[in-house]
């Protein structure tokens, strides 16, 4: 499966050194062209949040062009060349992704054809659910949020979505904050290995990551996602032991 613009941008920014990422953010905010990005919106953003901001501000194609421009301006020309090559060989559907998302009307027949041709599985066909965008809900009050949920998912669907969110494990609910703020990554890996939550191979792969945020993201996307409630309980116990102030803050204590 070909990588999306978002995946590619996240990978590129994730591989930047800390000083390079800092220069990228600064130069991004210094751009004179509209629309502009505010410094306060990027200061604490990790690569995932930064790419989300770029695509929401400039669209996917625009985000790619802006990233190439800014990388060139901070003398990361080799990285900019990677994006230029990606842009050159983007498939038609990738190149026009935003327009297709906005303008395609016959979604169900398309899903039927994809299922017939075995491009998607029955499970994937069944899981095509409506999604709520982060930017729409951030400033919504309770009434607006309920209205959005019922319009998006119907009354019964809204109830199910609310139950699902309320049932989320603590570590899933605070995934972004934990990725951004956990500092004792290696001791956490040691404890997870001791408790049998991760294997020796996973331990080595995650530990090889350049930055702590990348190591935590790999931990969440792999073993933590797969270990179930019991494994997440153990993970939380380890976090409470090694990062007590962070967990207390997230719990609002």
């Amino acid at each position: 499966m070909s990588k999306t613009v978002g995946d590619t941008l996240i990978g590129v920014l994730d591989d930047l050194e800390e000083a390079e990422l800092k220069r990228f953010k600064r130069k991004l905010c210094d751009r004179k062209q509209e629309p502009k990005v505010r410094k306060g919106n990027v200061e604490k953003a990790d690569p995932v949040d930064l790419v989300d901001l770029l695509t929401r501000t400039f669209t996917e194609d625009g985000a790619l062009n802006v990233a190439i421009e800014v990388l060139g301006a901070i003398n990361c020309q080799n990285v900019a060349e990677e994006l230029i090559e990606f842009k050159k060989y983007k498939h038609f559907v990738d190149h026009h992704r935003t327009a297709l998302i906005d303008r395609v009307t016959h979604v169900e027949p398309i899903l039927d054809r994809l299922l017939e041709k075995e491009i998607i599985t029955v499970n994937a066909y069944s899981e095509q659910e409506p999604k709520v965008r982060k930017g729409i809900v951030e400033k919504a009050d309770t009434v607006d949020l309920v209205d959005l949920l019922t319009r998006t998912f119907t009354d019964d669907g809204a109830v199910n979505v609310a139950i699902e969110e309320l049932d989320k494990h603590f570590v899933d609910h605070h995934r972004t904050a934990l990725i951004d703020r956990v500092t004792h990554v290696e001791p956490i890996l040691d404890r997870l290995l001791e408790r049998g939550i991760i294997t020796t191979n996973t331990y080595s792969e995650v530990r090889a990551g350049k930055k702590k945020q990348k190591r935590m993201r790999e931990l969440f996307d792999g073993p933590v996602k797969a270990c179930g409630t019991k494994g997440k309980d153990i993970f939380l116990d380890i976090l409470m032991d090694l990062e007590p102030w962070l967990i207390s803050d997230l719990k609002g204590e």
Side-chain angles (χ1 to χ4, degrees):
M1 184 181 292
S2 60
K3 291 177 74 174
T4 65
V5 171
D7 290 337
T8 302
L9 286 172
I10 289 169
V12 164
L13 296 181
D14 220 11
D15 286 338
L16 292 179
E17 297 294 338
E18 188 173 345
E20 291 172 335
L21 186 59
K22 189 173 181 179
R23 293 205 310 274
F24 181 93
K25 292 177 181 179
R26 183 174 181 178
K27 185 60 69 174
L28 176 64
C29 296
D30 287 344
R31 292 179 76 252
K32 303 299 182 186
Q33 300 94 321
E34 295 287 348
K36 294 182 179 180
V37 175
R38 293 183 179 180
K39 185 178 178 182
N41 291 338
V42 303
E43 278 183 325
K44 296 182 180 179
D46 66 9
V48 175
D49 294 332
L50 192 54
V51 170
D52 181 55
L53 175 65
L54 285 169
T55 53
R56 282 190 288 111
T57 305
F58 302 105
T59 74
E60 283 202 338
D61 288 338
L64 195 57
N65 292 331
V66 169
I68 291 168
E69 172 197 326
V70 174
L71 286 166
I74 64 170
N75 296 320
C76 289
Q77 196 57 45
N78 289 342
V79 185
E81 290 292 338
E82 288 181 35
L83 293 181
I84 292 169
E85 285 299 306
F86 171 80
K87 184 179 176 182
K88 188 185 299 182
Y89 293 107
K90 275 175 68 183
H91 193 280
F92 177 89
V93 295
D94 294 320
H95 188 73
H96 296 284
R97 180 178 184 274
T98 302
L100 291 169
I101 289 172
D102 289 342
R103 298 169 63 184
V104 163
T105 55
H106 299 88
V107 178
E108 291 191 4
I110 290 171
L111 289 172
D112 292 337
R113 298 285 183 89
L114 289 172
L115 183 63
E116 285 172 13
K117 293 180 178 291
E118 299 183 347
I119 304 298
I120 60 174
T121 64
V122 175
N123 285 342
Y125 178 89
S126 304
E127 289 169 1
Q128 301 307 309
E129 297 287 349
K131 294 184 179 180
V132 176
R133 293 185 180 180
K134 183 179 177 182
I136 297 175
V137 301
E138 280 180 326
K139 296 181 180 179
D141 61 17
T142 304
V143 175
D144 292 336
L145 189 56
V146 170
D147 181 57
L148 175 65
L149 285 169
T150 52
R151 282 190 290 107
T152 306
F153 302 103
T154 74
D155 285 354
D156 290 340
V159 171
N160 292 333
V161 168
I163 291 170
E164 182 183 328
E165 286 300 310
L166 291 170
D167 281 345
K168 264 189 177 179
H169 195 283
F170 180 89
V171 297
D172 293 322
H173 188 72
H174 295 285
R175 179 181 186 275
T176 301
L178 291 171
I179 288 172
D180 287 344
R181 297 172 61 187
V182 162
T183 55
H184 299 88
V185 180
E186 291 193 3
I188 289 169
L189 289 172
D190 292 336
R191 300 280 185 92
L192 289 171
L193 183 62
E194 286 172 10
R195 304 286 290 273
I197 303 300
I198 61 174
T199 64
T200 305
N201 285 342
T202 301
Y203 176 90
S204 301
E205 288 170 5
V206 174
R207 197 166 179 268
K210 284 184 180 180
K211 295 186 288 187
K212 66 180 181 66
Q213 285 92 348
K214 186 171 184 178
R215 294 199 293 270
M216 283 298 293
R217 192 173 294 111
E218 288 178 359
L219 194 57
F220 265 98
D221 291 343
V224 171
K225 187 176 182 179
C227 67
T229 302
K230 186 176 179 181
K232 289 173 184 177
D233 287 342
I234 293 172
F235 183 41
L236 180 56
D237 286 342
I238 293 169
L239 288 169
M240 290 172 69
D241 189 29
L242 295 175
E243 304 272 355
W245 295 108
L246 171 57
I247 301 303
S248 292
D249 182 51
L250 294 177
K251 286 183 175 181
E253 296 175 353

